[in-house]
Amino acid sequence: MELEKLRHGTELIKRGFAKMQKGGVIMDVTTPEEARIAEEAGAVAVMALHAVPSDIRKEGGVARMADPQVTADIIESVTIPVMAKARIGHFVEAEILQALGSDMIDESEVLTPADESFHIDKTQFTVPFVCGARNLGEALRRINEGAAMIRTKGEAGTGDVREAVRHMKQIQGEIRTLKGMTKEELIMAARDIEAPIELVMETAEMQRLPVVNFAAGGVATPADAALMMRLGSDGVFVGSGIFKAENPALMAKAIVEAVNNYDNPEVLAEISKGIGAGMKGISVDTIPDDQVLQTRGW
Amino acid sequence: MRIGVIAIQGDVAEHVESIERALAERGETAEVVTIKHKGIVPTCDGLVFPGGESTTLGRLILREGIDEEIKQAKENGIPILGTCAGLILLAKSGDSQVEKTHQYLLGLMDIRVNRNSFGRQFESFEIELDVSVLDSPYNAIFIRAPAILEAGENVKVLASIDDKIVAAEQDNVLALAFHPELTEDMRIHQYFLDMLF
């Protein structure tokens, strides 16, 4: 093969990778065994991390990228893509994850941020990034930094889908308000939401985000996953929802099937039967302000 | 005329848009439908498998029970296009990675495939590829792409990178390791539509 003819890490390849995940479920895993359960259930990818978000909440302390040995073991154990989380702004963790062979990096608010002002310059990487967002401005700023995929932040580790719903509706609603605006109105809108005008214009034209947009943060049941698909998500991340459920293998398979049958209540009813209890969860209301994860990132 | 895109998982919208654009280019009209459940495949005059995760696609095709419908469509001579994960599903056999994951294969082409043949995502690439049925190179996008390791004598090889076959056809089935639906160049889709019109 004439190596100089190959172009790696182009925008088309990064965004293209995210497009191949559409209609799928990406599952948080902490061990190779969990990764194999996820693959067997039909996950399109797994997210390697040292503890699922609900445990990160309980443990407290500084949450960092997962042990590279564990990430490497997970990569070795499955054939589907393996994603991994780096702290916001921690470009060295991201470089390590890329060197390990991670297929996508999640610059994630679930981990303790390493930089209070700047996100990672994602254009400098060969592998694509996914980032969280609560509104359109945040999503477009991340895309401008090179994110190839967006996910709603929701409120990770709660099993309470409310914040994921809020963020998805917020983003979709803001995109609808751009429809039919004149160029000068779009320029004002871009200023209001602190996003680059080029991306605002592209979003207004396409009437969707210019990259793949998944739901995340609180999805705990097949019904939650289907709800997010009905609201216009391209797919779903499930964090604590699977391996904190009573029967992870059944829950994983049911959520995969729910995403494929999100618009069919009869099938969803069948899928949701006899799969054991979902994660216990905590209502977002009861979380003290200083333990809220979604406000991390800028 | 009705063309169905298997819409269980993957870049379905991109294929739908590409087919519509290619149809417009040649001034033809056809209905493009998405297929998630049983009962639609038998109504289609052409079928497309998008890119996605082959393990997920294989499992859900079985669970939805559309595998037999697709095999029947092949027998009936319906043109079928498979890209990336689609190529894997069309194959008769696979390497150890395919076997390890109990990957479901439709077996519509006499080929043996290798998943993630070019490596992980950081090794994914674009290349100006020579395709035997096109008159100039084609900008081909390979994303964690598979490759064909061996092809039967009834299989016509359309493109290779070194010793790896990345585009091939057999009777009414066309398989590609890359993603023509991610670019504006419609020549590959036109080549497929030539089988229908």
Side-chain angles (χ1 to χ4, degrees), chain A residues 189-248:
Chain A
R191 204 174 73 173
D192 286 343
I193 64 171
E194 299 178 5
I197 179 62
E198 295 76 16
L199 288 173
V200 171
M201 287 170 71
E202 194 182 349
T203 304
E205 169 73 26
M206 292 172 74
Q207 279 297 298
R208 59 154 292 142
L209 283 181
V211 300
V212 168
N213 184 22
F214 269 43
V219 175
T221 65
D224 287 350
L227 173 66
M228 297 315 299
M229 294 302 288
R230 285 283 284 276
L231 294 178
S233 304
D234 291 320
V236 177
F237 282 91
V238 185
S240 322
I242 288 169
F243 290 98
K244 288 291 165 188
E246 190 183 338
N247 187 327

Side-chain angles (χ1 to χ4, degrees), chain A residues 68-132:
Chain A
Q69 184 61 55
V70 174
T71 306
D73 290 345
I74 289 172
I75 286 172
E76 200 52 45
S77 68
V78 290
T79 62
I80 54 177
V82 177
M83 305 182 177
K85 286 184 191 294
R87 283 180 268 181
I88 290 173
H90 205 317
F91 56 87
V92 172
E93 279 191 352
E95 285 169 357
I96 290 169
L97 294 174
Q98 175 169 273
L100 282 169
S102 306
D103 295 292
M104 183 175 242
I105 297 169
D106 184 0
E107 187 182 17
S108 178
E109 70 282 359
V110 170
L111 306 183
T112 310
D115 191 319
E116 296 191 320
S117 310
F118 300 99
H119 282 250
I120 296 170
D121 178 3
K122 294 165 273 287
T123 63
Q124 299 303 306
F125 286 76
T126 308
V127 291
F129 277 71
V130 55
C131 287

Side-chain angles (χ1 to χ4, degrees), chain A residues 1 7-8 10 12-13 19-22 40-44 75 79-81 101 103 257 260-261, chain B residues 9-11 14 36-37 53 55-56 59 63-64 101 115-116 120-121 124-126 139 144 162 179:
Chain A
M1 198 180 328
R7 301 187 300 282
H8 299 282
T10 63
L12 206 50
I13 289 170
K19 286 175 178 174
M20 299 312 145
Q21 304 284 303
K22 286 198 290 184
E40 189 59 37
V44 288
I75 286 172
T79 62
I80 54 177
D103 295 292
E257 289 186 10
N260 192 41
N261 290 284
Chain B
Q9 191 270 319
D11 66 338
E14 286 71 15
K36 290 180 92 171
H37 309 295
E53 280 309 316
T55 47
T56 308
R59 281 178 175 82
R63 280 183 217 167
E64 295 294 335
T101 53
R115 285 186 67 196
N116 303 330
R120 306 192 68 83
Q121 175 61 13
S124 294
F125 59 94
E126 293 182 44
N139 184 37
R144 286 176 46 99
D162 293 344
H179 294 281

Side-chain angles (χ1 to χ4, degrees), chain A residues 4-298:
Chain A
E4 70 276 15
K5 279 189 176 173
L6 305 184
R7 301 187 300 282
H8 299 282
T10 63
E11 210 52 39
L12 206 50
I13 289 170
K14 289 179 178 179
R15 291 187 182 189
F17 170 80
K19 286 175 178 174
M20 299 312 145
Q21 304 284 303
K22 286 198 290 184
V25 181
I26 300 168
M27 303 181 189
D28 278 4
V29 299
T30 59
T31 63
E33 293 69 35
E34 289 181 358
R36 279 192 290 268
I37 291 170
E39 181 176 54
E40 189 59 37
V44 288
V46 293
M47 176 73 71
L49 67 178
H50 87 277
V52 293
S54 65
D55 285 337
I56 291 176
R57 272 184 192 284
K58 268 187 222 144
E59 284 166 17
V62 177
R64 311 181 180 92
M65 75 168 175
D67 178 343
Q69 184 61 55
V70 174
T71 306
D73 290 345
I74 289 172
I75 286 172
E76 200 52 45
S77 68
V78 290
T79 62
I80 54 177
V82 177
M83 305 182 177
K85 286 184 191 294
R87 283 180 268 181
I88 290 173
H90 205 317
F91 56 87
V92 172
E93 279 191 352
E95 285 169 357
I96 290 169
L97 294 174
Q98 175 169 273
L100 282 169
S102 306
D103 295 292
M104 183 175 242
I105 297 169
D106 184 0
E107 187 182 17
S108 178
E109 70 282 359
V110 170
L111 306 183
T112 310
D115 191 319
E116 296 191 320
S117 310
F118 300 99
H119 282 250
I120 296 170
D121 178 3
K122 294 165 273 287
T123 63
Q124 299 303 306
F125 286 76
T126 308
V127 291
F129 277 71
V130 55
C131 287
R134 288 168 302 164
N135 53 51
L136 183 60
E138 205 174 354
L140 296 182
R141 286 195 293 280
R142 296 295 85 78
I143 295 168
N144 190 50
E145 292 157 1
M149 180 176 181
I150 293 294
R151 54 172 176 75
T152 56
K153 283 182 172 172
E155 188 57 33
T158 59
D160 184 346
V161 79
R162 181 200 329 173
E163 295 302 297
V165 169
R166 186 201 309 279
H167 299 156
M168 188 57 73
K169 286 194 167 175
Q170 174 71 29
I171 291 172
Q172 309 276 15
E174 286 184 82
I175 292 172
R176 275 192 297 276
T177 64
L178 299 178
K179 197 171 186 173
M181 277 191 182
T182 63
K183 186 168 180 198
E184 59 183 16
E185 287 168 338
L186 288 172
I187 291 170
M188 284 301 289
R191 204 174 73 173
D192 286 343
I193 64 171
E194 299 178 5
I197 179 62
E198 295 76 16
L199 288 173
V200 171
M201 287 170 71
E202 194 182 349
T203 304
E205 169 73 26
M206 292 172 74
Q207 279 297 298
R208 59 154 292 142
L209 283 181
V211 300
V212 168
N213 184 22
F214 269 43
V219 175
T221 65
D224 287 350
L227 173 66
M228 297 315 299
M229 294 302 288
R230 285 283 284 276
L231 294 178
S233 304
D234 291 320
V236 177
F237 282 91
V238 185
S240 322
I242 288 169
F243 290 98
K244 288 291 165 188
E246 190 183 338
N247 187 327
L250 286 180
M251 183 60 79
K253 187 162 164 275
I255 291 180
V256 168
E257 289 186 10
V259 166
N260 192 41
N261 290 284
Y262 67 88
D263 50 0
N264 190 333
E266 285 80 22
V267 178
L268 288 173
E270 282 307 310
I271 289 168
S272 305
K273 284 180 193 163
I275 54 172
M279 68 180 283
K280 184 159 181 288
I282 36 171
S283 167
V284 173
D285 288 337
T286 61
I287 301 172
D289 283 352
D290 64 343
Q291 288 171 30
V292 171
L293 302 175
Q294 59 176 276
T295 49
R296 295 167 168 183
W298 9 93

